[in-house]
Amino acid sequence: MPPSPTNSDSQLSLTKRPRRLRRNPSIRSLVSETKLTVDDLIYPMFVMEGENQRVEIVSMPGCYRYSLDLLLVEIAELYTLGVKAVALFPVVSESKKDDNGTESYNPAGLAQQAVKAIKAQTPGTIVITDVALDPFTTHGHDGVIDQDGVILNDETVEILVKMAVSQAQAGCDMVAPSDMMDGRIGAIRRGLDANGFTDVAIMAYSAKYASAYYGPFRDALDSAPKFGDKKTYQMDPANAREALTEIELDIAEGADIVMVKPALAYMDIIHQVKANCNVPVAAYNVSGEYSMIKAAAQLGWIDEQKIVMETLLSIKRAGADLILTYFAKDVALILQKK
Ligand code: PBG
């Protein structure tokens, strides 16, 4: 008779016990693979005309349209909190809109003025400008249209180049084309270089999907398309391989940073893009993603701070090097308390 095993049935003999490395906070932080810091966050901000104005966006509680004077106060505070990059979006009054979005390259336009003022006040803040026509067009599309409402690619790209150059003249650090026209990255790079702006970087919204998650942002800018949708230029949410084509094209054309947008429903895309390219990858935690968390938190159904930190950490873990998020200031405040 072989001796009976010394282990009682209730005593497992495991050589691998992953829980050893989870025993307390110190050991957990020692082996943690991903860190969320403010260094990687870009804060999207809305600037409007006027003075001493701060108007909360109804569908984005905690986000505001600021007149330039108050935007500057906020940006100075953000800088001291460690939020050193902002993505600017101008709210353009109806009277300044036209079919071709010509206000977009007005050297005295709101975005251009804002860039100048921010760089004069807080030169250390990285100012990223949006390159797309939708805030400036009467029809709300990101491009110029023909009489049948078809969005015209090459005609639009010409205007986008003027827009990017005017933003560079105002002093922006980086331009971020969010329009999804073909060939715009190369055209913008050539336009910037020809005008002496070889140091202005391009963050390309490369894999930008036609998403319902942009709804609250369009409220913020009053920029919802007046007819149709954006499916002839933004990507089909069904497609993953196509994202890699877009990324490849944008890098070949001169993108310094590529972006996946939205983030949460597209984590697989972030992961694949990270594995397939060698430039920094940005992810945009968009307005709808923000509003869903805010709404559930307001109802008391979730713990907002914990959900925010977990969500953004997950976007980094998926492969994002940079995150554009309306939670940037909240994260800075939360991390400061820790
Ligand atoms: C437009 C633009 C959009 C966003 C950023 N730039 C909306 C759209 O494409 O309709 C969305 C950002 C967000 O939802 O937070 N060029």
Side-chain angles (χ1 to χ4, degrees):
M1 282 278 280
S4 61
T6 50
N7 274 353
S8 76
D9 284 350
S10 65
Q11 247 187 318
L12 289 170
S13 104
L14 294 175
T15 48
K16 285 285 180 191
R17 288 180 182 266
R19 288 185 56 199
R20 285 181 195 125
L21 301 184
R22 296 181 203 137
R23 286 174 55 229
N24 59 47
S26 304
I27 201 157
R28 287 196 294 274
S29 72
L30 205 58
V31 297
S32 109
E33 298 173 29
T34 312
K35 272 209 168 51
L36 181 67
T37 83
V38 279
D39 292 346
D40 306 321
L41 303 183
I42 299 170
Y43 195 26
M45 299 184 83
F46 304 106
V47 58
M48 65 178 191
E49 272 152 21
E51 263 173 53
N52 201 25
Q53 302 279 314
R54 189 182 88 134
V55 183
E56 191 167 37
I57 296 147
V58 176
S59 54
M60 299 177 74
C63 281
Y64 303 85
R65 299 166 162 190
Y66 294 95
S67 57
L68 185 47
D69 51 345
L70 296 192
L71 184 82
L72 289 171
V73 175
E74 185 68 13
I75 284 184
E77 186 193 342
L78 287 163
Y79 189 77
T80 64
L81 285 171
V83 179
K84 291 164 299 192
V86 297
L88 271 192
F89 295 97
V91 184
V92 180
S93 55
E94 285 302 320
S95 64
K96 298 226 162 97
K97 299 186 184 184
D98 61 27
D99 281 356
N100 294 341
T102 52
E103 177 66 14
S104 63
Y105 54 87
N106 176 0
L110 184 56
Q112 288 83 350
Q113 277 180 42
V115 173
K116 266 186 219 153
I118 296 167
K119 292 305 289 187
Q121 175 195 265
T122 319
T125 293
I126 299 298
V127 181
I128 304 166
T129 45
D130 184 60
V131 184
L133 297 186
D134 53 324
F136 304 94
T137 52
T138 36
H139 44 74
H141 278 287
D142 294 41
V144 299
I145 54 174
D146 70 7
Q147 64 274 24
D148 301 319
V150 173
I151 284 84
L152 302 171
N153 194 87
D154 300 11
E155 291 79 349
T156 300
V157 171
E158 273 181 42
I159 304 176
L160 296 175
V161 173
K162 289 188 202 171
M163 184 177 181
V165 169
S166 82
Q167 294 167 343
Q169 277 161 347
C172 72
D173 299 278
M174 206 182 279
V175 295
S178 69
D179 57 288
M180 290 299 280
M181 296 301 123
D182 292 331
R184 90 280 206 214
I185 302 300
I188 289 172
R189 185 69 273 160
R190 287 188 295 277
L192 290 172
D193 292 353
N195 286 278
F197 298 112
T198 50
D199 285 342
V200 172
I202 302 179
M203 175 166 69
Y205 286 64
S206 301
K208 176 171 177 178
Y209 287 88
S211 171
Y213 284 97
Y214 308 149
F217 174 96
R218 294 176 187 171
D219 293 343
L221 288 194
D222 278 333
S223 65
K226 297 285 190 307
F227 68 89
D229 53 41
K230 299 193 174 185
K231 290 180 185 169
T232 69
Y233 42 109
Q234 299 180 348
M235 284 180 55
D236 182 346
N239 294 355
R241 284 179 302 165
E242 190 187 348
L244 300 180
T245 303
E246 286 284 6
I247 299 282
E248 210 178 292
L249 284 170
D250 283 358
I251 294 175
E253 291 176 30
D256 299 284
I257 298 172
V258 293
M259 191 199 297
V260 175
K261 178 186 176 185
L264 294 179
Y266 298 86
M267 295 289 232
D268 58 324
I269 310 297
I270 296 172
H271 190 76
Q272 289 186 56
V273 166
K274 182 56 169 278
N276 281 283
C277 75
N278 293 321
V279 300
V281 177
Y284 200 141
N285 176 223
V286 299
S287 57
E289 299 172 351
Y290 173 88
S291 303
M292 290 195 302
I293 291 179
K294 282 287 177 183
Q298 284 185 346
L299 287 166
W301 291 352
I302 57 170
D303 179 325
E304 178 174 338
Q305 288 197 358
K306 285 184 179 153
I307 293 263
V308 167
M309 297 307 274
E310 181 177 337
T311 301
L312 297 176
L313 183 73
S314 305
I315 296 172
K316 281 205 82 177
R317 192 197 61 237
D321 300 294
L322 313 172
I323 306 174
L324 292 96
T325 179
Y326 303 97
F327 290 116
K329 186 179 182 184
D330 295 351
V331 171
L333 291 167
I334 294 168
L335 290 177
Q336 207 174 42
K337 270 188 245 140
K338 281 199 174 152

